[in-house]
Amino acid sequence: MSDSPSANDSAATLYGPVSLGLGGAAVTASVFSAVIGIAFALLAGVLAVTFGLLGLASGFNRNQSLAGVLTGSVGVIFFAVLVGGI
């Protein structure tokens, strides 16, 4: 047994799943924005995009990171369309 950490023990392996989860929360919050407001959709979307880009840069779970970036951008674009009138 070795006590040295492996690449799978890195915290960077969580960027993809966290990004995907926050992206799903952003999409859900966008759908139900009339009930819960648009702030949660924006917050979850921005965090999903941030963690997704960090995950893409780290190289772990690239598919989940990309899906998190795409779904998280829905919350950000929804906010921009509603507030900015784009």
Side-chain angles (χ1 to χ4, degrees):
M1 273 196 307
S2 174
D3 289 334
S4 64
S6 68
N8 291 333
D9 291 339
S10 172
T13 59
L14 295 176
Y15 287 146
V18 169
S19 174
L20 187 58
L22 286 170
V27 170
T28 304
S30 296
V31 170
F32 296 110
S33 64
V35 177
I36 62 174
I38 60 174
F40 186 70
L42 177 66
L43 177 65
V46 167
L47 285 173
V49 170
T50 301
F51 283 125
L53 292 176
L54 286 171
L56 288 173
S58 72
F60 294 110
N61 299 325
R62 285 184 175 254
N63 291 336
Q64 289 179 339
S65 297
L66 183 61
V69 168
L70 294 176
T71 56
S73 64
V74 169
V76 176
I77 292 172
F78 178 77
F79 179 79
V81 167
L82 248 127
V83 173
I86 296 174

